[in-house]
Amino acid sequence: MTLRSSVTAADAAHVWHPYTQHGASDDPIEIVRADGAYLFDASGRAIFDAISSWWVTLHGHAEPTIAAAIADQARTLEQVIFAGFTHEPAALLAEELLRRVPNGLTRMFFSDDGSTAVEVAVKIALQYWQLRGENRRVIVALENAYHGDTFGAMSVSARGLFTDPFAEKLFEVARLPDPVDADVVAAFERLLAARASDVAALIVEPMVLGSGGMRMWSAESMRGLRELCARHGILFIADEVMTGFGRTGPLFACEHAGISPDLMCLSKGITGGFLPMGATLTTEELFAGFRSPDRKRTLFHGHSYTANPIACAAARASLALLDEACDARRRAIETSHRAAATRFESTPGISNVRVLGTILAADLVVKDAGYLSTIGQTLKRVALDAGVLLRPLGDTVYLLPPYCATTADLDRAYDCIAEFAEAL
Ligand SMILES: *Cc1c(COP(=O)(O)O)cnc(C)c1O
């Protein structure tokens, strides 16, 4: 046990951390600054952030143009109520972002994080059908899905360890099998044969089930699900909270399948990873379904910090950085990942290697698989000692680096994983 600083002592006395069992964890590491792909701890050690600090840091930590946009905005207009008022950062962000998403999405509803972006999508879907006078009340979601930690988001997420304490408080959804294991399109067809006119919406994480273990599924299945939704008038919700802003290669994962959703949820990388913000994008048809002289037909949802100007300024600056040079950086990461995947395929102790854009994932070969598998914890510790931040999902190890990561940075992380797996 190392001596606690005033920060770690105050933390130990007063802070309750997310996804942390305080009875079975080491003290958290005190980070004092960050730059590019690196975090620096109180002792000056550099740690390569191979997971973009929980999938949010997009271009790099402390990216100067985003930092400057935030500082400028904070001195100009830091916050204003967003009902009855608007401002340049929000209106222009909506215009600039909607220009770059799949066709057909024309409206942006602002919220605070990924979970609220999902809550809003589900509320819009349910209220839309109610306003139309159609009795569509069923939400369909995938096995192994993760859509956030608030009650609605938990309801559409896979049931299990995270949701068990609240099981009877969650609303029921119709469940499709994990598209990696089963023919999800055929399963959806079977479900629709029985109750198509009851279904309000289908929600999916396009191309990758993230928290469910970086499970990558096919563009073909995505297209199949999209077509079935279109045929039966069901709303297709794409939760791109993790995949958005280039993580899977193209700007949005829906582009792999050439599809446009009716609703899209965004967060995580939206501000470049600087400030919290959620967004739910919708079609004009959905927006028009609520528009009326009748106040009862309002979407009664909003958060205190809706469209916070500073967060909007950060998002605009981040969007401006998603240019051709950034495309090239993402392609370089993918090339690097593919070479590592070839190496991992012949590394003992590693199986099921997969790459999509800037995401590389693989499974460690262990007996006690699952989220509570201790192997991931061990790897995390070993990697930290080597100056690399990994956070395996049970026995699934993955890299999801900021786009400024260099080949040398990535090589360090690959080496860490390979050496660990070989020693298993
Ligand atoms: C992280 C995540 C969420 C929840 O976002 P928060 O900002 O953590 O609330 C929702 N959906 C997906 C796909 C995610 O990866």
Side-chain angles (χ1 to χ4, degrees):
M1 180 108 181
T2 51
L3 223 57
R4 283 176 170 157
S5 68
S6 58
V7 172
T8 48
D11 183 288
H14 302 295
V15 179
W16 193 336
H17 286 264
Y19 280 94
T20 299
Q21 175 44 266
H22 282 264
S25 305
D26 299 334
D27 272 4
I29 296 162
E30 182 189 346
I31 298 298
V32 292
R33 69 183 185 91
D35 183 25
Y38 284 84
L39 304 167
F40 295 89
D41 75 6
S43 71
R45 176 174 58 148
I47 302 168
F48 170 48
D49 186 356
I51 59 158
S52 297
S53 280
W54 248 346
W55 317 350
V56 301
T57 307
L58 203 65
H59 310 285
H61 288 279
E63 198 289 322
T65 65
I66 301 176
I70 288 172
D72 283 350
Q73 190 58 47
R75 282 189 290 260
T76 309
L77 170 68
E78 88 301 346
Q79 169 68 0
V80 60
I81 176 174
F82 204 60
F85 294 87
T86 191
H87 46 79
E88 176 179 298
L92 296 191
L93 170 62
E95 183 178 72
E96 290 157 5
L97 176 59
L98 288 164
R99 210 183 281 146
R100 301 184 67 176
V101 299
N103 284 336
L105 297 166
T106 60
R107 292 280 166 180
M108 176 164 178
F109 190 98
F110 292 85
S111 62
D112 293 347
D113 50 55
S115 302
T116 55
V118 168
E119 296 285 338
V120 169
V122 170
K123 285 176 78 170
I124 289 176
L126 290 172
Q127 191 177 347
Y128 172 76
W129 290 119
Q130 194 206 43
L131 292 173
R132 297 251 315 213
E134 289 194 40
N135 191 30
R136 291 179 179 262
R137 307 309 294 162
V138 177
I139 306 288
V140 183
L142 301 184
E143 216 48 83
N144 287 331
Y146 178 78
H147 297 292
D149 288 348
T150 53
F151 275 82
M154 277 196 292
S155 296
V156 290
S157 298
R159 304 301 163 86
L161 181 67
F162 301 173
T163 59
D164 277 347
F166 322 103
E168 88 284 0
K169 305 291 183 209
L170 304 180
F171 65 74
E172 275 196 38
V173 302
R175 208 51 86 171
L176 296 180
D178 182 326
V180 178
D181 297 330
D183 185 343
V184 71
V185 180
F188 195 31
E189 244 170 342
R190 282 195 297 278
L191 185 142
L192 293 175
R195 52 197 306 202
S197 60
D198 299 339
V199 178
L202 166 71
I203 182 165
V204 303
E205 291 159 88
M207 300 304 291
V208 191
L209 307 184
S211 299
M214 293 296 164
R215 299 172 64 79
M216 297 175 186
W217 55 298
S218 75
E220 194 189 335
S221 296
M222 289 248 301
R223 269 193 298 274
L225 294 180
R226 180 66 189 111
E227 275 165 27
L228 285 172
C229 282
R231 193 181 313 154
H232 295 277
I234 293 162
L235 300 172
F236 184 97
I237 306 173
D239 177 355
E240 293 236 20
V241 168
M242 186 275 276
T243 52
F245 303 99
R247 294 291 185 193
T248 70
L251 217 45
F252 298 98
C254 281
E255 294 173 38
H256 286 283
I259 61 169
S260 292
D262 297 294
L263 295 128
M264 183 186 271
C265 307
L266 298 173
S267 185
K268 292 206 167 111
I270 193 169
T271 60
F274 276 65
L275 288 165
M277 175 188 281
T280 307
L281 311 183
T282 83
T283 60
E284 203 61 17
E285 192 180 341
L286 284 169
F287 178 72
F290 288 73
R291 188 173 199 147
S292 159
D294 180 357
R295 287 169 167 275
K296 286 202 295 293
R297 296 173 67 96
T298 301
L299 177 63
F300 291 109
H301 189 105
H303 298 281
S304 314
Y305 282 97
T306 298
N308 171 259
I310 305 173
C312 291
R316 288 187 72 201
S318 174
L319 204 54
L321 289 171
L322 286 163
D323 55 8
E324 275 159 31
C326 180
D327 292 346
R329 275 193 287 279
R330 298 204 302 281
R331 279 196 299 275
I333 292 173
E334 176 159 8
T335 303
S336 196
H337 280 351
R338 294 214 177 271
T342 306
R343 168 181 172 193
F344 285 166
E345 266 150 24
S346 56
T347 305
I350 298 185
S351 73
N352 205 6
V353 189
R354 47 208 190 268
V355 175
L356 189 69
T358 69
I359 308 172
L360 165 74
D363 300 335
L364 298 169
V365 183
V366 281
K367 280 187 221 87
D368 66 330
Y371 184 84
L372 294 182
S373 161
T374 53
I375 190 90
Q377 295 290 321
T378 313
L379 170 56
K380 183 180 159 192
R381 221 167 289 133
V382 170
L384 260 181
D385 288 342
V388 177
L389 172 56
L390 297 175
R391 196 172 196 279
L393 295 155
D395 52 335
T396 297
V397 58
Y398 67 89
L399 266 62
L400 193 153
Y403 302 155
C404 65
T406 64
T407 315
D409 299 333
L410 296 169
D411 282 343
R412 248 172 104 189
Y414 305 142
D415 286 347
C416 230
I417 295 166
E419 282 160 25
F420 180 80
E422 274 164 4
L424 278 179

